[in-house]
Amino acid sequence: MKFYLPPQISRLAIAFAVFITLFLVARHFLVPETFGQYGHYRGASLDDNAMPVIHFSGQQACLDCHQDIEDLKLQGPHKGIHCETCHGPGQAHVVSGEAKDIFKPSGREFCGNCHSSNAAKKKETIHQVNMSTKNPGKNCTECHNPHQPWKVKK
Amino acid sequence: MEPQHYKDLYDILAHAQGYIFPNEIDLQWGILIVVYPFITGLVAGAFILASLERVFKVTILKATYQIALLTALSFLLVATLPLISHLSQPQRAYEIMITPHSSSAMAIFGFVYLWYLMVVLLLEIWFDYRHSMVLWSQEKKGVMKWVYKILCLGVTDISPRTLSWDKKLGYIITIIGIPSAFILHGYVGFIFGSIKANPWWSTPLMPIIFLFSAMVSGISLVLLVYMVISRIRKIAIDLSVLDSIGKYLFFVLILDFTLEGLDQIHRIYEANESFEILKLLVSGKLYLTLFVSQGLIGTIIPLITLAFLQFYRGRIKLRKTLYFIVGMLVLVGVYSMRWNVVIGGQLFSKSFSGFTSFKVGLIGLDGTLMAAFWLILPFGILAFLLWLLPPWKMAPEED
């Protein structure tokens, strides 16, 4: 019996070969130039990621000018909380050193963000107070120093 | 001064209940990610129905064979678009194909998809239509003549020997196609099932559940498309076709229901540390979409109706109407199932102590209108394909 190759097969083989070649050619041109420079990603993406405006400076930057507050904070239960957790993004203020560029929290709700009682929060993780019965009408900072809450003014 | 981000934070916290982690406030996967597995499921299901006809030689279903294939193709062409439009950098989507990483489930899916499109679906349709396309290219004049010539890649040989090869090769493709369709949709389930941090998703049953719900939805879709096409062409709907599709739908739906029940029973019996929050999830935020929409409307009512239709041989009009309604209900049910998986899995906190909430926007790239567009587009494509490759004008088969 003579070997018979159906015409469909040979034509499809050509079509697939063309498709795969096109794919490889396209791939050659489309793979970003810096791909694989450092790993399985586009090296230039590091620059892209460095471009956005910086909002947060990190706690270390605050300490150049406010070491006193950090020293105080380290003595109390808020020692693990960084400045910008409460004061918001601080890069603009780090650059300018002006009061208007930084948020100074006030009010009972602010402390309540973390301390208001919530059945779903674990008691061992954070101390909670009932906001409606805890010294109503008074600002928390009238008694507690936010940087060292156990320095209670009576 | 109180910066905007604090105001935003207060607004956002109003959407949360209990205790959640900061990155859980927003749902990263919205309605478009619900649409994506829904559409892929329709593809796999429609294809599997077509394959049943071919492999088991169910002559009654011949009438729906091409319709099922073309439906699968129309939806497959759209399947990835919801994903791409969900990206914030859609212009980079192709990079997943040109620089894939073997550890990326999504990148490998790109190739599973490509395999299924190029090697399975297009080839099966091509072998099936080649004879007719050659005849059409001889009949037609002008542009269409050339369109058909190009479509059959210039293979104009229609000697009996070559035609018999069309059949043989098409059959081989069908055989390859069934596991491929299983992989295509099982894979979508795998993408969810393999996320081990999420107890609502992480189960090895996920690919199988996805597969069976895919078959259920694909079969319903073909049933509906067949009825609508017959209506439009003003030809009588063949009730034996409906009965036959309905029988398959009935059995697959039973399997699907059993598997999903098994998954839940397993969860309930195991009752691990995530169980409390999942119990709150299904009895609260998912109550309507899970018990009412997916369970009652999408499964129980269709099951009872289909069981009834298995032996009821009475009024024809009533039976047709019932089949149509069942088809619609099942589609609603499977859509809800996708919703419950995708959205449900993101509503509870991984602290197991709280919930966030989800609101779909109407407009925007991630909104309802966009999702509706991706769901309607395949029907447009299907209409075009039916015009280009009308199953009812095909060359008669000679055995």
Side-chain angles (χ1 to χ4, degrees):
Chain A
M1 204 179 95
K2 237 182 74 188
F3 177 72
Y4 170 74
L5 187 68
Q8 298 99 314
I9 298 251
S10 46
R11 194 57 58 88
L12 281 175
I14 297 174
F16 272 81
V18 169
F19 177 78
I20 292 171
T21 317
L22 281 179
F23 179 83
L24 291 177
V25 171
R27 181 175 189 280
H28 176 79
F29 288 105
L30 288 176
V31 172
E33 224 170 85
T34 55
F35 182 82
Q37 194 178 0
Y38 309 111
H40 197 93
Y41 58 91
R42 194 167 50 90
S45 67
L46 294 185
D47 298 337
D48 292 359
N49 286 324
M51 290 228 294
V53 184
I54 293 175
H55 296 290
F56 288 88
S57 63
Q59 166 154 287
Q60 202 57 38
C62 313
L63 305 188
D64 286 347
C65 308
H66 295 295
Q67 185 63 46
D68 51 330
I69 292 182
E70 173 65 359
D71 292 342
L72 182 66
K73 184 158 75 81
L74 281 174
Q75 296 163 19
H78 280 170
K79 61 175 179 289
I81 306 174
H82 281 196
C83 317
E84 287 170 307
T85 315
C86 295
H87 287 290
Q91 175 67 18
H93 170 71
V94 167
V95 173
S96 71
E98 280 177 43
K100 70 168 171 46
D101 291 330
I102 190 90
F103 172 53
K104 192 163 99 176
S106 59
R108 295 166 61 85
E109 289 78 17
F110 167 72
C111 307
N113 277 341
C114 298
H115 284 292
S116 66
S117 42
N118 180 333
K121 275 197 271 194
K122 297 197 174 71
K123 299 227 165 27
E124 315 82 63
T125 324
I126 188 154
H127 281 89
Q128 294 158 46
V129 294
N130 185 336
M131 295 298 283
S132 44
T133 57
K134 168 87 183 164
N135 303 315
K138 281 191 164 171
N139 207 336
C140 316
T141 47
E142 283 175 37
C143 299
H144 296 280
N145 181 329
H147 301 127
Q148 211 310 33
W150 280 137
K151 268 181 89 176
V152 185
K153 302 168 240 173
K154 293 262 169 73
Chain B
M1 110 186 172
E2 179 143 328
Q4 185 60 35
H5 80 269
Y6 266 91
K7 290 213 189 66
D8 293 346
L9 182 67
Y10 294 139
D11 285 347
I12 288 167
L13 285 176
H15 296 298
Q17 291 168 7
Y19 181 76
I20 69 171
F21 295 127
N23 58 346
E24 290 170 336
I25 288 173
D26 259 339
L27 267 67
Q28 302 301 323
W29 290 358
I31 189 167
L32 289 176
I33 311 298
V34 176
V35 168
Y36 150 70
F38 183 62
I39 292 186
T40 338
L42 295 173
V43 175
F47 180 83
I48 290 169
L49 182 68
S51 313
L52 280 178
E53 186 274 297
R54 185 137 186 183
V55 175
F56 298 112
K57 309 219 161 39
V58 190
T59 18
I60 288 184
L61 287 186
K62 270 231 165 82
T64 61
Y65 175 68
Q66 278 88 11
I67 292 179
L69 284 185
L70 295 182
T71 306
L73 180 60
S74 326
F75 279 84
L76 189 67
L77 290 175
V78 177
T80 56
L81 299 182
L83 286 184
I84 293 176
S85 60
H86 174 262
L87 297 174
S88 40
Q89 304 274 2
Q91 78 281 8
R92 291 197 197 145
Y94 65 86
E95 288 186 18
I96 203 174
M97 301 296 294
I98 59 170
T99 55
H101 196 290
S102 59
S103 72
S104 156
M106 211 57 223
I108 304 304
F109 178 78
F111 289 91
V112 171
Y113 173 88
L114 204 61
W115 162 269
Y116 187 76
L117 174 68
M118 304 289 295
V119 179
V120 176
L121 206 48
L122 284 182
L123 278 194
E124 176 148 352
I125 294 176
W126 192 73
F127 284 125
D128 195 48
Y129 272 95
R130 200 186 62 85
H131 185 190
S132 312
M133 290 193 297
V134 173
L135 294 184
W136 291 333
S137 78
Q138 291 165 354
E139 280 165 21
K140 297 262 153 88
K141 304 231 152 33
V143 187
M144 289 317 288
K145 184 186 188 73
W146 284 98
V147 169
Y148 288 117
K149 269 217 166 114
I150 294 170
L151 281 180
C152 55
L153 298 176
V155 188
T156 48
D157 182 349
I158 43 173
S159 62
R161 190 185 194 186
T162 321
L163 287 183
S164 77
W165 271 99
D166 276 337
K167 274 209 176 143
K168 264 183 242 171
L169 293 168
Y171 190 77
I172 295 174
I173 295 289
T174 311
I175 301 287
I176 303 174
I178 296 175
S180 302
F182 275 51
I183 290 172
L184 177 79
H185 203 66
Y187 205 104
V188 179
F190 169 82
I191 287 180
F192 288 96
S194 61
I195 297 182
K196 56 180 169 239
N198 189 319
W200 187 236
W201 290 342
S202 173
T203 148
L205 265 183
M206 199 59 114
I208 302 174
I209 293 178
F210 261 62
L211 189 62
F212 275 88
S213 57
M215 283 158 65
V216 169
S217 67
I219 295 175
S220 305
L221 180 67
V222 175
L223 179 89
L224 293 177
V225 169
Y226 169 72
M227 293 181 85
V228 172
I229 289 181
S230 305
R231 214 355 111 73
I232 293 174
R233 294 182 54 223
K234 299 202 174 60
I235 59 163
I237 296 170
D238 187 346
L239 203 57
S240 56
V241 171
L242 297 189
D243 282 336
S244 170
I245 300 183
K247 200 166 72 202
Y248 283 117
L249 184 59
F250 182 52
F251 292 135
V252 182
L253 195 57
I254 291 179
L255 280 176
D256 182 39
F257 183 50
T258 319
L259 282 168
E260 293 204 26
L262 193 62
D263 182 38
Q264 297 306 339
I265 290 170
H266 184 254
R267 230 185 261 284
I268 295 168
Y269 187 76
E270 200 178 35
N272 64 17
E273 66 270 44
S274 64
F275 186 60
E276 286 302 317
I277 190 88
L278 295 184
K279 211 161 73 180
L280 285 174
L281 178 74
V282 299
S283 58
K285 296 196 174 247
L286 288 190
Y287 186 80
L288 276 183
T289 48
L290 186 71
F291 291 108
V292 180
S293 192
Q294 184 185 343
L296 185 68
I297 297 179
T299 315
I300 307 281
I301 296 179
L303 266 181
I304 295 174
T305 319
L306 284 170
F308 169 71
L309 285 166
Q310 294 309 302
F311 58 83
Y312 177 73
R313 288 286 171 264
R315 287 165 50 200
I316 292 177
K317 195 140 191 218
L318 176 69
R319 276 156 74 193
K320 286 183 184 167
T321 318
L322 283 182
Y323 276 122
F324 192 81
I325 294 173
V326 164
M328 296 298 261
L329 293 187
V330 167
L331 285 182
V332 170
V334 174
Y335 183 82
S336 311
M337 181 265 183
R338 309 293 191 236
W339 174 280
N340 293 330
V341 171
V342 176
I343 303 297
Q346 301 172 83
L347 286 179
F348 66 94
S349 164
K350 305 310 168 288
S351 68
F352 300 156
S353 311
F355 291 102
T356 185
S357 56
F358 177 58
K359 269 215 182 74
V360 235
L362 189 62
I363 47 176
L365 270 183
D366 204 3
T368 311
L369 287 181
M370 195 71 189
F373 175 71
W374 293 131
L375 282 173
I376 292 171
L377 182 63
F379 292 102
I381 300 180
L382 179 61
F384 170 75
L385 286 178
L386 286 170
W387 168 80
L388 186 70
L389 306 169
W392 39 90
K393 290 192 190 150
M394 284 179 72
E397 274 193 62
E398 52 228 78
D399 316 76

